């Protein structure tokens, strides 16, 4: 079972919820895999505090031209949809940051002058903390393409057990990549106008991907009730409400999780897992 | 030398640090700028500025593959070649493209032996020019699951520049996207100043390091604003130290202010609401202006 924790924008408490859920789940399951797919700014490791056990470099394939075979025909640069290979005075030059690794240029090159080589875009760090395996993708600075790295992180999903995905914020390519195979999505938001605006977009994405989802509202009491009203009107279950509690903000700022420090919240996290488990079971 | 307008891009390692509230406040204080919302993934600036749209345009970028069922013979060449796993075969042996996965690379189109795949332009969203009480605004609405927010960001910036030229404004304030990925890169390349908004949290430190190194990578001077600095004074101090090491000037410290949410609910910028943190932003603006 895979639960993805997502939000229309960052800073809503996505990582807080993902890490606390992982901790609660580790009391119930033999093994829990937490996949930090927020590869631009992965923060789960701050809260999980595991021991690093492994590391894996992630490469994508980019073209390399063998000049001795190249006839300077320009077919490769004509083909590339992303201007990642450009003919300069006939000679093809590769701009690796823009390459999507589609493989098209090597296919269209008649004299077979193009072969593909590895280009590093980031790294995956493996941490272990009790029964939690944290698998974190970390994008290299200056590398613009996160979806392939997210895809590489997701390959480490443990299909037999429970997986929790800490998804990147937003509604475009990286989020889609992170949540597309999840069984259930928790959309985290805040009870404010910004929160509602971003939630509506996240709901649209989840619906477009045909996913089961529910909303978690963080900092309840800090704003107004428009998010609650919206969920009611749209028939979206609210699976978790975390009050606006300065103690939580302080714990967060010090890199500490809620559970273990504020035991009064334990029950609500347990209920989240239970409810999701039930929904997924009823489906099968 | 030239009269290129100053372009201040407000970014942050993470979302939710107050980037939008701060950009809107700066725009309000400047009284005379073009404001642009480049956080196209979560465009929230309009909620504070109440723009009245004067122009609307569709935004097309790239293409999308579409299989013509009448011509397709089910040879599965396309499925084997697509590296993005965007082509699905259903139980009846019918092939189709899953639009949210297609990257528009054209490989399938090129190699389909029956020429059965169309490649129409992809509608990715719309962008607008508007009038607001702080001046003209350029903003956009990205389509759901649309790719290429980087290109849309570049478009908004170039439209903002054009508008600045037209209206004779020498300042552009940009609410940038969070993170360090392709939209951020598109929002800061060629900008004059970057203002990094951060918060005093452990993750805030991490994010700051990454964002500042990104700005350095593109040789743009980064300023740092610490929002809610009094939430954790110890970490605020650490951030100031790290910023110094990274040669980024801490130009503002804004106190934790519960009333910010209230002014958001009233659709006002912080500086329009008479709340404690407004003064901190005014101080920061004065310094920013002088630099
Ligand atoms: S398609 Fe092949 S031969 Fe033609 S320019 Fe490109 S690399 Fe050279
Ligand atoms: S692999 Fe695809 S994206 Fe990369 S250069 Fe070749 S054609 Fe362009
Ligand atoms: S390559 Fe063309 S003919 Fe073959 S399955 Fe794909 S669309 Fe159909
Ligand atoms: S255009 Fe590229 S990504 Fe889209 S379906 Fe064809 S091969 Fe796949």
């Amino acid at each position: 079972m895979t639960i993805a924790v997502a939000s229309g924008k960052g800073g809503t408490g996505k990582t807080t919820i993902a890490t606390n859920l992982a901790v609660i789940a580790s009391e119930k399951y033999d093994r829990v895999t937490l996949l930090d797919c927020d590869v631009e700014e992965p923060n789960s490791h701050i809260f999980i505090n595991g021991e690093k056990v492994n590391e894996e470099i992630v490469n994508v394939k980019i073209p390399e031209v063998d000049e001795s075979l190249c006839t300077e025909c320009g077919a490769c640069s004509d083909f590339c949809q992303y201007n990642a290979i450009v003919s300069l005075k006939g000679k093809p030059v590769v701009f690796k940051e823009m390459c999507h690794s589609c493989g098209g240029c090597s296919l269209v090159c008649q004299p077979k002058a193009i072969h593909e080589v590895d280009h590093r875009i980031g790294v995956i760090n493996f941490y272990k903390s009790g029964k939690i395996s944290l698998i974190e993708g970390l994008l290299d600075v200056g590398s613009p393409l996160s979806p392939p790295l997210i895809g590489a992180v997701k390959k480490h999903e443990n299909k037999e057990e429970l997986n929790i995905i800490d998804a990147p914020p937003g509604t475009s390519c990286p989020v889609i990549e992170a949540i597309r195979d999840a069984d259930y999505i928790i959309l985290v938001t805040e009870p404010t106008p910004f929160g509602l605006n971003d939630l509506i977009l996240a709901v649209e994405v989840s619906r477009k991907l045909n996913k089961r989802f529910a909303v978690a509202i963080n900092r309840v009491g800090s704003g107004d009730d428009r998010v609650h009203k919206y969920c009611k009107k749209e028939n979206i279950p609210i699976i978790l409400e975390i009050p606006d509690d300065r103690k939580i903000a302080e714990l967060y700022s010090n890199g500490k999780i809620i559970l273990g420090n504020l035991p009064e919240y334990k029950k609500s996290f347990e209920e989240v897992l239970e409810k999701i488990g039930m929904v997924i079971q009823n489906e099968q | 030398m030239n009269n290129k307008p100053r372009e201040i891009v407000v970014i942050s390692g993470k979302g939710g640090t107050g980037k939008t509230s701060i950009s809107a406040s700066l725009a309000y204080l400047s009284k005379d700028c073009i404001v642009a919302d480049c956080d196209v993934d979560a465009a929230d600036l309009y909620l504070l500025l109440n723009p009245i749209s004067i122009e609307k345009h569709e935004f097309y970028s790239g293409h999308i593959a579409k299989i013509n069922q009448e011509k397709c013979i089910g040879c599965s060449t396309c499925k084997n070649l697509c590296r993005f796993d965007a082509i699905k075969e259903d139980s009846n042996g019918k092939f189709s493209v899953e639009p949210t996965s297609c990257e528009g690379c054209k490989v399938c189109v090129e190699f389909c032996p029956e020429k059965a795949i169309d490649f129409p332009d992809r509608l990715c969203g719309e962008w607008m020019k508007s009038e607001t009480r702080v001046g003209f605004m350029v903003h956009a609405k990205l389509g759901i699951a649309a790719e290429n927010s980087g290109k849309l960001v570049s478009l908004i910036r170039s439209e903002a520049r054009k508008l600045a030229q037209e209206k004779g404004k020498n300042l552009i304030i940009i609410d940038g996207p969070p993170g360090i990925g392709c939209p951020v890169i598109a929002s800061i390349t060629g900008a004059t100043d970057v203002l990094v908004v951060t918060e005093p949290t452990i993750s805030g430190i991490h994010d700051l390091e990454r964002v500042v190194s990104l700005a350095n990578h593109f040789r743009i001077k980064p300023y740092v604003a610490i929002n809610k600095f009094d939430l954790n004074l110890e970490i605020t101090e650490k951030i100031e130290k790290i910023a110094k090491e990274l040669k980024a000037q801490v130009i503002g410290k804004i106190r934790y202010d519960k009333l910010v949410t209230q002014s958001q609910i009233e659709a006002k910028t912080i500086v329009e609401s008479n709340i404690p943190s407004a003064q901190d932003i005014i101080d920061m603006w004065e310094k920013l202006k002088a630099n």
Side-chain angles (χ1 to χ4, degrees):
Chain A
M1 166 161 110
T2 300
I3 303 171
V5 184
S7 68
K9 66 162 186 156
T12 51
K14 203 168 42 60
T15 300
T16 304
I17 289 178
T19 50
N20 281 289
L21 270 187
V23 170
I24 274 289
S26 71
E27 291 179 4
K28 197 171 151 198
Y29 294 80
D30 291 335
R31 198 179 139 189
V32 177
T33 306
L34 174 59
L35 303 140
D36 195 342
C37 291
D38 194 356
V39 299
E40 286 185 33
E41 315 283 344
N43 284 153
S44 286
H45 71 271
I46 296 173
F47 300 90
I48 292 298
N49 231 326
E51 191 189 331
K52 188 162 161 182
V53 288
N54 204 359
E55 182 179 292
E56 178 186 306
I57 288 171
V58 178
N59 298 306
V60 293
K61 295 276 180 216
I62 60 157
E64 193 173 78
V65 179
D66 180 343
E67 289 192 12
S68 66
L69 293 174
C70 174
T71 58
E72 302 188 0
C73 70
C76 52
S77 56
D78 286 347
F79 179 80
C80 182
Q81 296 299 301
Y82 316 106
N83 298 317
I85 187 162
V86 175
S87 289
L88 293 174
K89 292 189 190 144
K91 275 199 182 20
V93 175
V94 179
F95 292 93
K96 34 183 190 290
E97 280 76 25
M98 298 167 85
C99 176
H100 287 225
S101 307
C102 70
C105 51
S106 30
L107 289 170
V108 298
C109 176
Q110 290 295 342
K112 300 259 164 286
I114 300 182
H115 61 277
E116 293 183 294
V117 293
D118 284 341
H119 167 61
R120 180 189 152 129
I121 55 166
V123 53
I124 299 179
N125 293 316
F126 297 82
Y127 299 91
K128 191 115 192 98
S129 163
K131 289 194 227 153
I132 302 175
S133 303
L134 169 60
I135 297 165
E136 167 200 85
L138 181 63
L139 196 67
D140 286 343
V141 172
S143 172
L145 289 177
S146 53
L149 181 56
I150 294 170
V153 173
K154 276 177 42 201
K155 287 217 178 79
H156 296 280
E157 216 177 289
N158 172 13
K159 299 264 189 257
E160 311 296 303
E161 298 271 354
L162 178 71
N163 305 280
I164 295 170
I165 292 179
D166 189 354
T171 53
S172 63
C173 17
V175 194
I176 307 276
E177 181 63 33
I179 67 176
R180 80 163 72 247
D181 308 310
D183 300 299
Y184 200 90
I185 301 174
I186 300 175
L187 300 173
V188 188
T189 189
E190 290 171 343
T192 64
F194 285 10
L196 176 59
N197 185 54
D198 302 328
L199 175 64
I200 292 172
L201 298 175
V203 166
E204 276 181 62
V205 174
S206 311
R207 286 194 172 141
K208 188 149 184 172
L209 292 172
N210 263 321
K211 293 290 173 191
R212 287 214 168 257
F213 63 93
V215 166
I217 310 178
N218 197 8
R219 300 192 194 106
V220 172
S222 64
D224 53 12
D225 63 351
R226 57 184 89 193
V227 167
H228 289 89
K229 279 196 183 134
Y230 165 80
C231 289
K232 189 154 182 215
K233 193 183 102 227
E234 294 284 317
N235 252 320
I236 300 167
I238 296 173
I239 203 163
L240 177 68
E241 292 185 61
I242 303 176
D244 184 34
D245 183 343
R246 197 175 158 127
K247 276 184 286 181
I248 296 180
E250 278 165 14
L251 283 174
Y252 179 85
S253 79
N254 285 310
K256 296 217 171 80
I257 65 163
I258 300 176
L259 299 169
N261 294 293
L262 298 173
E264 62 266 38
Y265 292 109
K266 187 169 172 191
K267 198 158 169 273
S268 35
F269 280 97
E270 280 171 347
E271 279 172 12
V272 171
L273 276 188
E274 244 163 64
K275 280 186 207 153
I276 295 177
M278 250 148 58
V279 171
I280 294 176
Q281 231 163 29
N282 285 342
E283 240 181 19
Q284 285 161 351
Chain B
M1 175 190 98
N2 58 18
N3 52 359
K4 228 184 93 184
R6 185 171 182 196
E7 211 174 316
I8 303 177
V9 190
V10 185
I11 59 172
S12 67
K14 275 265 186 234
T17 54
K19 196 172 50 57
T20 301
S21 302
I22 291 174
S23 323
S25 295
L26 296 183
Y28 183 83
L29 291 172
S30 86
K31 296 271 187 282
D32 197 34
C33 73
I34 303 287
V35 45
D37 191 350
C38 283
D39 189 0
V40 293
D41 245 20
D44 286 340
L45 194 58
Y46 81 96
L47 293 170
L48 297 181
L49 298 182
N50 263 319
I52 297 161
S53 172
I54 45 180
E55 267 180 42
K56 231 181 211 163
H57 306 266
E58 284 179 335
F59 168 68
Y60 286 89
S61 173
H63 299 268
I64 190 161
K66 200 164 185 276
I67 294 174
N68 181 335
Q69 300 296 345
E70 318 232 295
K71 292 194 194 156
C72 172
I73 54 161
C75 70
S76 79
T77 306
C78 52
K79 188 169 189 295
N80 295 334
L81 288 178
C82 176
R83 293 226 178 135
F84 306 101
D85 207 13
I87 295 179
K88 305 283 174 230
E89 183 183 357
D90 70 12
S91 46
N92 304 319
K94 264 189 173 319
F95 288 78
S96 63
V97 177
E98 169 44 45
T100 56
S101 299
C102 175
E103 298 232 349
C105 70
K106 205 179 176 191
V107 166
C108 59
V109 179
E110 183 83 12
F111 292 96
C112 168
E114 300 300 313
K115 297 268 162 282
I117 308 182
D118 297 327
F119 204 44
D121 290 341
R122 182 177 207 139
L123 178 65
C124 293
E126 54 177 14
W127 67 273
M128 291 78 77
K129 276 186 204 169
S130 302
E131 255 182 283
T132 78
R133 65 185 182 284
V134 309
F136 289 95
M137 171 170 178
V138 187
H139 53 133
K141 190 171 188 303
L142 193 66
I144 289 305
E147 318 248 340
N148 260 324
S149 43
K151 274 197 187 146
L152 183 54
V153 166
S154 303
L155 178 90
I156 293 176
R157 279 185 65 204
S158 76
E159 290 299 330
R161 284 172 179 171
K162 271 192 224 159
L163 203 58
Q165 192 108 49
E166 249 170 61
K167 309 281 176 195
K169 307 281 182 205
N170 52 19
L171 177 68
I172 302 173
I173 291 180
I174 296 176
D175 184 8
I180 57 160
C182 87
V184 190
I185 292 175
S187 77
I188 67 169
T189 36
T192 47
D193 311 82
V194 164
L195 177 67
V196 184
V197 181
T198 185
E199 287 178 344
T201 61
I202 304 240
S203 38
I205 299 182
H206 267 262
D207 300 343
L208 179 71
E209 284 172 348
R210 283 162 76 76
V211 175
V212 170
S213 70
L214 183 74
N216 289 336
H217 185 92
F218 289 96
R219 299 197 181 78
I220 307 160
K221 195 160 144 191
Y223 297 108
V224 176
I226 309 176
N227 196 16
K228 305 184 188 158
F229 78 93
D230 47 350
L231 204 59
N232 192 327
L233 290 171
E234 212 178 302
I235 297 187
T236 291
E237 223 168 274
K238 265 192 208 152
I239 289 182
E240 289 179 286
K241 223 179 100 207
I242 290 169
K244 205 169 192 173
E245 280 162 21
L246 295 168
K247 297 197 171 53
Q249 185 192 346
V250 174
I251 199 156
K253 290 206 277 185
I254 302 153
R255 74 194 81 174
Y256 176 75
D257 188 349
K258 276 202 157 193
L259 295 173
V260 170
T261 307
Q262 202 50 47
S263 74
Q264 203 187 92
I265 288 168
E266 287 164 12
K268 281 188 191 158
T269 64
I270 296 173
V271 290
E272 282 168 281
S273 314
N274 194 12
I275 59 178
S277 56
Q279 192 53 46
D280 302 332
I281 296 182
I282 294 169
D283 293 346
M284 176 168 83
W285 170 244
E286 290 303 326
K287 279 199 224 162
L288 208 52
K289 229 175 26 179
N291 264 294

